[in-house]
Amino acid sequence: MSQETQAARLERLARLPLRDNLRGLKPYGAPQLDAPVLLNVNENTHGVPSDARRAIMRAVERSLTELNRYPDREFTELRESLARYLGHGLSADNIWAANGSNEVLQQILQAFGGPARTVLSFPPTYSMYPLLASGTNTEYLSGERASDFSLSAVSAAEQVAAAAPQLVILCSPNNPTGTALDLEVVRAVYQASEAAQSIVIVDEAYAEFAHPGTPSALTLLPGRERLIVSRTMSKAFALAGARLGYLAAAPEVTDALRLVRLPYHLSALTQATAVAALEHSESLQANVEDIKRQRDRIVDGLRALGLQPAPSDANFVFFSGVQNPGKIWQGLLDAGVLIRDVGIPGSLRVTAGTEQETTAFLENMERLLAAEGR
Ligand SMILES: *Cc1c(COP(=O)(O)O)cnc(C)c1O
């Protein structure tokens, strides 16, 4: 759009009876540029393995014969598959799903947030949390992290106790910084939320990429009826395009979400796709292992170049020590490699690619830093 038409559109938008808390907001905006090497939105760069792809095709084809009917509103088979995949003694009663974990989080905010209610999170964190808050008219409270972006149990618990929010969102591993939270933090936050009876959400979108021995907040669910662990098939399962996110929680939490979900919100095609992919979680796991190797190559490679990559339990690496992030970002894009400028001074974020893509990123970084005289 030209500058003038854009200004005119903004003016026309301002005349609409938009809710006050939405005025002046910008939509979620990771640039969808076309580049040969896309390492900007933490997608699974390895794609869906061929055996899983064939199984998905067969399952979707089977579902076509009943496409004139509404799908199973309770997506029972999918909830059973997800419970089996997660383990930890969970059953279908503990599971809920929606079109991406973004929709899962939106439904949680629709049920437990809203006008005169607050949700506390700890920036820098996932940029969708404030947008989901404004979309549901929930006030977003920004908690604080240490200067190295870490979050201690003591500090987190103090902030939760002081804010007494209706909801807390902890992201682990945190996006954009990549580091997993110690479960001590989740325990302390849950305990501090007793007084306000807050819902505590742990967003584990990247859990499958964690280093061995990193425990999941799923282990904390027994006895904590206000704890929700959110997961997605967008990252480890390489299904970002299929839109399937889910959560594990006490059964009464899923009952609350039934009150706000749209009827038949999960299409028959989505349900068939997800169930078939879950039956092939082992071949997907092999790709996850390679992505972890590429992630570790990025951490080692950037460190060798004199930068400061944060420890990563995810499929991406956040790194600091960049003198001119905008220039490096553009230089990489000119070379066909798209990464993410998350707007934190001196820092950039890159998704782990295939071996070739990762090599292209590292070689171009070396070249660009050398050109800067480092
Ligand atoms: C990618 C990501 C998600 C996944 O969102 P979907 O809607 O499931 O695709 C959720 N949380 C975080 C922190 C993410 O980075």
Side-chain angles (χ1 to χ4, degrees), residues 41-42 99-103 105 126 129 171 173 175 203 205-206 231-235 240 243-245:
V41 286
N42 302 340
N99 296 283
S101 52
N102 277 282
E103 191 180 67
L105 294 170
Y126 190 36
Y129 301 151
C171 189
N175 182 2
D203 182 348
Y206 300 95
R231 294 280 188 103
T232 181
M233 294 184 79
S234 292
K235 309 286 159 62
R243 312 304 301 128
L244 199 288

Side-chain angles (χ1 to χ4, degrees), residues 10 12-25:
L10 275 174
R12 290 206 297 277
L13 170 61
R15 285 201 294 269
L16 289 177
L18 193 64
R19 226 166 51 211
D20 286 341
N21 77 312
L22 296 177
R23 290 188 180 273
L25 290 189

Side-chain angles (χ1 to χ4, degrees), residues 83-91 94 215-222 231:
R84 257 196 310 279
Y85 169 70
L86 287 181
H88 291 90
L90 295 164
S91 74
N94 300 105
S216 161
L218 292 171
T219 59
L220 300 182
L221 283 173
R231 294 280 188 103

